[in-house]
Structures are given as structure tokens and as C-alpha cells.
Amino acid sequence: MPDNFYGGLDFGTSGARISIINFHKKLVYSNSVPYLYSFKNPNSWINSCEKLLESLPLDIKNKIVSLAISGTSGTLTACNLKGEPIGEAIPYNHACKENKTLIESITLGEDHLQTPYSSLAKALKLIDKYGTNILLRHQSDWITGWFLKDWTHGEEGNNLKLGWDLKKESWPKSFLNTSWLKCLPQIIKSGKIIGQVNFDLAERFNLNKELILVSGTTDSNASVIAAGLGKKD
């Protein structure tokens, strides 16, 4: 156990960084890289991720046992059912005013969902543009999916602005009969294990093939702690 390492990847607006801690939560490695393309381009996130993984010292990266991803809260992207991005993401600070009446009708009393900056407003704009045969994922959830090659899940905190109810642990009843419910992620509690890194990706970057992905948060410091403390239900 003392030889194991735990990692957190944090994706901001201008670049990405990685932090690695040991069993005693002491920082043993960190690095950061800028985005190659614009922040709105999901390929920027993956390009930065690849650079960070390639730069990791071999004696560290093949001993990382868990990893969590954090990103900018409220940045939403559309992808196809294979996880491939469709167009640009809508950033956290972009207002989407197109579906104001619809949003108000399905979010009665939920002021945080009725703002044009909510993820729900962004989601409906992406659905208007691309249809309902898509997946809608927040930045860190989509990047976590890239590690797993499985975009099924999303972390609970990331999806509050999309409508997830923490107390009821469900989407609102008003969402249940919509054509776009299938676009939303299956929610995982923060700090819980989502799955194991994709074998081919682990081979490519010389990562520990038993590396697990833990549902991260929007807080970059909490991301590293969550990686070290994630437990199965």
C-alpha cells in the first residue's frame, strides 16, 4: 500500500494539470499544460490529458491505483453514443436563452435551473441542434468516460445544474416523459468507483492496468483526495 499513488486531473479554462499524492497524501508530482486548441474544443482536453500522461515518470504512473477528474462546473458537451464529441462544448459562462418558457414549465420552484447559465439550458440548446440520439456530459464526466471508453455515468455534484436532485437521488419527475431523458447520465455518488481504465489506453501510456476511475468533483483539491479514498458501494 505505501508504494501506491493516487492522482487527480484538473481541467480549467486555459489548460490542465495533474497532481499525484502518495499513501500519506503527500504531493509527489505535479505538472500542467496549456490547451492546444480553444477551451470549447473537447479535443483540447484530451490532447492536454495525453501530454500529461506521456510526461509522467514511469515509476509513478505504473503505480497509480486510482484517479479522479475535476473540471469547470457547468461546461457541457454533446457526444455520439460512442463518446465522440459533436461540435464544441458550451462553456460554463455562456448563457442559453432559447428555451426559457420550456425550462420554467418543467422546473417549477427550481431557480438554479431557470437561469440561462444552467446546464439544463445548455442541454436543451444542444438537443435543438443535434437531436436526442446523443449523450450530454459535463467536462469532467466526459473525460472520465474517455479513460474508461464508457460514457454511461456522471458524478452527482457535476449534474446539479442539469437537474439532478441530491435528496431524492433522481431526475425531476417532469423529465421522465421527455424524449431527451436518455441523453442524461446515470449518476454516481462523489468519491465512488466508476470503473477500471480501458486496457488499450493503459497499454498506450504504460499505466497500471488495474487503475480505477473515481467519480471526481468540481473542486481540484477534492479530486486528489477522492482518488485516494474512493470506495465501492
Coordinates of all heavy atoms in Angstrom, one line a residue, residues 133-184:
N133 N -30.5 11.7 -30.2 CA -29.7 10.5 -30.2 C -28.2 10.8 -29.9 O -27.3 10.5 -30.6 CB -29.8 9.9 -31.6 CG -29.3 8.4 -31.7 OD1 -29.5 7.7 -30.7 ND2 -28.7 8.0 -32.8
I134 N -28.1 11.4 -28.8 CA -26.7 11.9 -28.3 C -26.6 11.7 -26.8 O -27.6 11.3 -26.1 CB -26.5 13.4 -28.6 CG1 -27.6 14.3 -27.8 CG2 -26.5 13.7 -30.1 CD1 -27.4 15.8 -27.9
L135 N -25.4 11.9 -26.3 CA -25.2 11.9 -24.8 C -24.8 13.3 -24.5 O -24.0 13.9 -25.2 CB -24.1 10.9 -24.5 CG -24.2 9.4 -24.9 CD1 -23.0 8.6 -24.5 CD2 -25.5 8.8 -24.2
L136 N -25.3 13.7 -23.3 CA -24.9 15.0 -22.8 C -24.1 14.8 -21.5 O -24.5 14.2 -20.6 CB -26.2 15.9 -22.5 CG -27.0 16.2 -23.7 CD1 -28.4 16.7 -23.2 CD2 -26.3 17.2 -24.6
R137 N -22.8 15.3 -21.5 CA -21.9 15.1 -20.4 C -21.2 16.4 -20.1 O -20.7 17.1 -20.9 CB -20.9 14.0 -20.7 CG -21.5 12.7 -21.0 CD -22.2 12.0 -19.8 NE -22.7 10.7 -20.1 CZ -24.0 10.5 -20.4 NH1 -24.9 11.5 -20.6 NH2 -24.4 9.3 -20.6
H138 N -21.0 16.6 -18.8 CA -20.2 17.7 -18.3 C -18.7 17.4 -18.6 O -18.4 16.2 -18.7 CB -20.4 18.0 -16.8 CG -21.7 18.6 -16.5 ND1 -22.9 17.9 -16.3 CD2 -22.1 19.9 -16.6 CE1 -23.9 18.8 -16.1 NE2 -23.5 20.0 -16.3
Q139 N -17.9 18.4 -18.6 CA -16.5 18.2 -18.9 C -15.8 17.1 -18.2 O -15.2 16.2 -18.9 CB -15.8 19.6 -18.7 CG -14.3 19.5 -19.1 CD -13.6 20.8 -18.7 OE1 -13.8 21.4 -17.6 NE2 -12.6 21.2 -19.5
S140 N -15.8 17.1 -16.9 CA -15.1 16.0 -16.2 C -15.7 14.7 -16.4 O -15.0 13.7 -16.4 CB -15.0 16.4 -14.7 OG -16.3 16.5 -14.1
D141 N -17.0 14.6 -16.5 CA -17.7 13.3 -16.7 C -17.3 12.7 -18.1 O -17.1 11.5 -18.2 CB -19.2 13.4 -16.6 CG -19.6 13.7 -15.2 OD1 -18.9 13.4 -14.3 OD2 -20.7 14.3 -15.0
W142 N -17.2 13.6 -19.1 CA -16.8 13.2 -20.4 C -15.4 12.7 -20.5 O -15.1 11.7 -21.1 CB -17.1 14.3 -21.5 CG -16.8 13.8 -22.9 CD1 -17.6 13.0 -23.6 CD2 -15.6 14.1 -23.6 NE1 -17.0 12.8 -24.9 CE2 -15.7 13.4 -24.9 CE3 -14.4 14.8 -23.4 CZ2 -14.8 13.5 -25.8 CZ3 -13.4 14.8 -24.3 CH2 -13.6 14.2 -25.6
I143 N -14.5 13.4 -19.8 CA -13.1 13.0 -19.8 C -12.9 11.7 -19.0 O -12.1 10.8 -19.4 CB -12.2 14.1 -19.1 CG1 -12.3 15.4 -20.0 CG2 -10.8 13.6 -19.0 CD1 -11.7 16.6 -19.3
T144 N -13.7 11.5 -17.9 CA -13.6 10.2 -17.2 C -14.1 9.1 -18.1 O -13.5 8.0 -18.1 CB -14.6 10.3 -16.0 OG1 -14.1 11.3 -15.1 CG2 -14.6 9.0 -15.2
G145 N -15.1 9.4 -18.9 CA -15.6 8.4 -19.9 C -14.5 8.0 -20.9 O -14.4 6.9 -21.3
W146 N -13.6 9.0 -21.3 CA -12.5 8.7 -22.2 C -11.6 7.7 -21.6 O -11.1 6.8 -22.3 CB -11.8 10.0 -22.5 CG -10.6 9.9 -23.4 CD1 -10.6 9.7 -24.8 CD2 -9.3 9.9 -23.0 NE1 -9.4 9.6 -25.3 CE2 -8.5 9.7 -24.2 CE3 -8.6 10.0 -21.8 CZ2 -7.1 9.7 -24.2 CZ3 -7.2 10.0 -21.8 CH2 -6.5 9.8 -23.0
F147 N -11.3 7.8 -20.3 CA -10.4 6.9 -19.7 C -11.0 5.5 -19.6 O -10.3 4.5 -19.7 CB -10.1 7.3 -18.2 CG -9.0 8.3 -18.1 CD1 -9.1 9.6 -18.1 CD2 -7.7 7.8 -18.0 CE1 -8.1 10.5 -18.0 CE2 -6.6 8.6 -17.8 CZ -6.8 10.0 -17.8
L148 N -12.3 5.4 -19.5 CA -13.0 4.1 -19.4 C -13.4 3.5 -20.7 O -13.7 2.3 -20.9 CB -14.2 4.2 -18.5 CG -14.0 4.7 -17.1 CD1 -15.4 5.1 -16.5 CD2 -13.3 3.7 -16.2
K149 N -13.5 4.4 -21.7 CA -14.2 4.1 -23.0 C -15.6 3.7 -22.8 O -16.2 2.8 -23.4 CB -13.4 3.1 -23.8 CG -12.0 3.5 -24.2 CD -11.9 4.8 -24.9 CE -10.4 5.2 -25.1 NZ -10.2 6.7 -25.1
D150 N -16.2 4.4 -21.8 CA -17.6 4.2 -21.4 C -18.1 5.5 -20.8 O -17.7 6.0 -19.8 CB -17.6 3.1 -20.4 CG -19.1 2.8 -19.9 OD1 -20.0 3.5 -20.3 OD2 -19.2 1.9 -19.0
W151 N -19.1 6.1 -21.6 CA -19.6 7.4 -21.2 C -21.0 7.3 -20.5 O -21.8 8.3 -20.6 CB -19.7 8.3 -22.4 CG -18.3 8.7 -22.9 CD1 -17.7 9.9 -22.6 CD2 -17.4 8.0 -23.7 NE1 -16.5 10.0 -23.2 CE2 -16.2 8.8 -23.9 CE3 -17.4 6.8 -24.3 CZ2 -15.1 8.4 -24.6 CZ3 -16.3 6.4 -25.1 CH2 -15.2 7.2 -25.2
T152 N -21.2 6.2 -19.8 CA -22.5 6.0 -19.2 C -22.8 6.9 -18.1 O -23.9 7.4 -17.9 CB -22.7 4.5 -18.7 OG1 -22.4 3.6 -19.8 CG2 -24.0 4.2 -18.1
H153 N -21.8 7.2 -17.2 CA -22.1 7.8 -15.9 C -21.7 9.3 -15.8 O -20.9 9.8 -16.6 CB -21.3 7.0 -14.9 CG -21.7 5.6 -14.8 ND1 -21.0 4.6 -15.4 CD2 -22.8 5.0 -14.2 CE1 -21.6 3.4 -15.2 NE2 -22.7 3.6 -14.4
G154 N -22.2 9.9 -14.7 CA -21.9 11.2 -14.4 C -21.9 11.4 -12.9 O -22.6 10.6 -12.2
E155 N -21.0 12.2 -12.3 CA -20.9 12.4 -10.9 C -22.0 13.4 -10.4 O -22.4 14.3 -11.1 CB -19.5 13.0 -10.6 CG -19.2 13.2 -9.1 CD -19.6 14.5 -8.5 OE1 -19.7 15.5 -9.3 OE2 -19.8 14.6 -7.3
E156 N -22.6 13.1 -9.2 CA -23.7 13.8 -8.7 C -23.6 15.3 -8.7 O -24.5 16.1 -9.1 CB -24.1 13.3 -7.4 CG -23.1 13.4 -6.3 CD -23.5 12.8 -5.0 OE1 -24.6 12.2 -4.8 OE2 -22.6 12.8 -4.0
G157 N -22.5 15.8 -8.1 CA -22.3 17.2 -8.0 C -22.2 18.0 -9.3 O -22.7 19.1 -9.5
N158 N -21.6 17.3 -10.3 CA -21.5 17.9 -11.7 C -22.9 18.2 -12.3 O -23.0 19.1 -13.1 CB -20.7 17.0 -12.6 CG -19.2 17.0 -12.3 OD1 -18.7 17.9 -11.8 ND2 -18.6 15.9 -12.6
N159 N -23.8 17.4 -11.9 CA -25.1 17.4 -12.6 C -26.3 18.1 -11.8 O -27.4 18.0 -12.3 CB -25.5 15.9 -12.9 CG -24.6 15.4 -14.0 OD1 -24.8 15.6 -15.2 ND2 -23.6 14.6 -13.6
L160 N -25.9 18.8 -10.8 CA -27.0 19.5 -10.1 C -27.6 20.6 -11.0 O -28.8 20.8 -11.0 CB -26.4 20.2 -8.8 CG -25.9 19.3 -7.7 CD1 -25.3 20.1 -6.6 CD2 -27.0 18.3 -7.2
K161 N -26.7 21.3 -11.8 CA -27.2 22.3 -12.7 C -28.0 21.8 -13.9 O -28.6 22.5 -14.6 CB -26.0 23.2 -13.1 CG -25.3 23.9 -12.0 CD -24.2 24.7 -12.6 CE -23.4 25.5 -11.4 NZ -22.2 26.2 -11.9
L162 N -27.9 20.4 -14.0 CA -28.7 19.8 -15.1 C -30.0 19.3 -14.6 O -30.9 18.9 -15.4 CB -27.9 18.6 -15.6 CG -28.3 17.9 -16.9 CD1 -28.5 18.9 -18.1 CD2 -27.3 16.8 -17.3
G163 N -30.2 19.3 -13.2 CA -31.5 18.9 -12.7 C -31.4 17.8 -11.7 O -32.5 17.4 -11.1
W164 N -30.3 17.2 -11.4 CA -30.2 16.1 -10.5 C -30.6 16.5 -9.1 O -30.1 17.5 -8.6 CB -28.8 15.4 -10.5 CG -28.7 14.2 -9.6 CD1 -28.0 14.2 -8.4 CD2 -29.2 12.9 -9.8 NE1 -28.2 12.9 -7.8 CE2 -28.9 12.1 -8.7 CE3 -30.0 12.4 -10.8 CZ2 -29.2 10.8 -8.6 CZ3 -30.3 11.0 -10.7 CH2 -30.0 10.3 -9.6
D165 N -31.4 15.8 -8.4 CA -31.9 16.1 -7.1 C -31.1 15.2 -6.1 O -31.2 14.0 -6.0 CB -33.4 15.8 -6.9 CG -33.9 16.3 -5.6 OD1 -33.3 16.1 -4.6 OD2 -35.0 16.9 -5.7
L166 N -30.2 15.8 -5.3 CA -29.4 15.1 -4.3 C -30.2 14.4 -3.3 O -29.9 13.3 -2.8 CB -28.4 16.1 -3.7 CG -27.1 16.3 -4.4 CD1 -26.2 17.3 -3.6 CD2 -26.3 15.1 -4.7
K167 N -31.2 15.1 -2.8 CA -32.0 14.5 -1.7 C -32.8 13.3 -2.2 O -32.9 12.2 -1.5 CB -33.0 15.5 -1.1 CG -32.2 16.6 -0.3 CD -33.2 17.6 0.3 CE -32.5 18.7 1.0 NZ -33.4 19.7 1.6
K168 N -33.5 13.4 -3.3 CA -34.3 12.3 -3.9 C -33.5 11.3 -4.7 O -34.0 10.2 -5.0 CB -35.4 12.9 -4.7 CG -36.4 13.8 -4.0 CD -37.5 14.3 -4.9 CE -38.4 15.2 -4.2 NZ -39.5 15.8 -5.1
E169 N -32.2 11.7 -5.0 CA -31.4 10.9 -5.8 C -32.0 10.5 -7.1 O -32.1 9.3 -7.5 CB -30.9 9.7 -5.0 CG -30.0 10.1 -3.8 CD -29.4 8.9 -3.1 OE1 -29.8 7.7 -3.4 OE2 -28.5 9.1 -2.3
S170 N -32.6 11.4 -7.8 CA -33.3 11.2 -9.1 C -33.3 12.4 -9.9 O -33.1 13.6 -9.4 CB -34.7 10.7 -8.8 OG -35.5 11.7 -8.2
W171 N -33.7 12.2 -11.2 CA -34.0 13.4 -12.0 C -35.4 13.8 -11.7 O -36.2 13.0 -11.2 CB -33.9 13.0 -13.5 CG -32.5 12.6 -13.9 CD1 -32.1 11.3 -14.2 CD2 -31.4 13.5 -14.1 NE1 -30.7 11.4 -14.6 CE2 -30.3 12.7 -14.5 CE3 -31.2 14.9 -13.9 CZ2 -29.0 13.2 -14.7 CZ3 -29.9 15.4 -14.2 CH2 -28.9 14.6 -14.6
P172 N -35.8 15.1 -12.0 CA -37.2 15.5 -11.7 C -38.2 14.7 -12.4 O -38.0 14.2 -13.5 CB -37.2 17.0 -12.2 CG -35.7 17.4 -12.1 CD -34.9 16.1 -12.5
K173 N -39.4 14.5 -11.8 CA -40.4 13.8 -12.5 C -40.8 14.4 -13.8 O -41.2 13.6 -14.7 CB -41.7 13.7 -11.6 CG -41.5 12.9 -10.3 CD -42.8 12.8 -9.5 CE -42.7 11.9 -8.3 NZ -43.9 11.9 -7.5
S174 N -40.7 15.7 -13.9 CA -41.0 16.4 -15.2 C -40.1 16.0 -16.3 O -40.4 16.2 -17.5 CB -41.0 17.9 -15.0 OG -39.7 18.3 -14.5
F175 N -38.9 15.3 -16.0 CA -38.0 14.9 -17.1 C -38.4 13.5 -17.6 O -37.9 13.1 -18.7 CB -36.6 14.8 -16.5 CG -35.9 16.1 -16.2 CD1 -36.6 17.3 -16.2 CD2 -34.5 16.2 -16.1 CE1 -36.0 18.5 -15.9 CE2 -33.9 17.4 -15.8 CZ -34.6 18.5 -15.7
L176 N -39.1 12.8 -16.8 CA -39.3 11.3 -17.1 C -40.0 11.0 -18.4 O -39.7 9.9 -19.0 CB -40.0 10.7 -15.9 CG -39.3 10.8 -14.5 CD1 -40.1 10.0 -13.5 CD2 -37.9 10.3 -14.6
N177 N -40.9 11.8 -18.8 CA -41.6 11.5 -20.1 C -41.0 12.3 -21.3 O -41.6 12.3 -22.4 CB -43.1 11.8 -19.9 CG -43.7 10.9 -19.0 OD1 -43.4 9.7 -18.9 ND2 -44.6 11.4 -18.1
T178 N -39.8 12.9 -21.1 CA -39.2 13.7 -22.2 C -38.5 12.7 -23.2 O -38.1 11.6 -22.8 CB -38.3 14.7 -21.7 OG1 -37.2 14.1 -21.1 CG2 -38.9 15.7 -20.7
S179 N -38.3 13.2 -24.4 CA -37.6 12.4 -25.4 C -36.1 12.4 -25.1 O -35.4 11.6 -25.7 CB -37.9 12.9 -26.8 OG -37.4 14.3 -26.9
W180 N -35.6 13.3 -24.3 CA -34.2 13.5 -24.1 C -33.7 13.0 -22.7 O -32.5 13.1 -22.4 CB -33.8 15.0 -24.2 CG -34.7 16.0 -23.5 CD1 -35.8 16.6 -24.1 CD2 -34.7 16.4 -22.2 NE1 -36.4 17.5 -23.2 CE2 -35.8 17.3 -22.0 CE3 -33.9 16.1 -21.1 CZ2 -36.0 18.0 -20.8 CZ3 -34.2 16.7 -19.8 CH2 -35.2 17.6 -19.7
L181 N -34.5 12.3 -22.0 CA -34.1 11.7 -20.7 C -32.9 10.8 -20.9 O -31.9 10.7 -20.2 CB -35.2 11.0 -20.0 CG -34.8 10.3 -18.7 CD1 -34.5 11.3 -17.6 CD2 -36.0 9.5 -18.1
K182 N -33.0 10.0 -22.1 CA -31.9 9.0 -22.4 C -30.6 9.7 -22.7 O -29.5 9.0 -22.7 CB -32.3 8.2 -23.6 CG -32.5 9.1 -24.9 CD -33.0 8.2 -26.0 CE -33.2 9.1 -27.3 NZ -33.7 8.3 -28.4
C183 N -30.6 11.0 -22.9 CA -29.3 11.7 -23.1 C -28.5 12.0 -21.9 O -27.3 12.3 -21.9 CB -29.6 13.1 -23.8 SG -30.5 13.0 -25.4
L184 N -29.2 11.9 -20.7 CA -28.6 12.2 -19.4 C -27.8 11.1 -18.9 O -28.1 9.9 -19.1 CB -29.7 12.7 -18.5 CG -30.6 13.8 -19.0 CD1 -31.6 14.2 -17.8 CD2 -29.8 15.0 -19.5

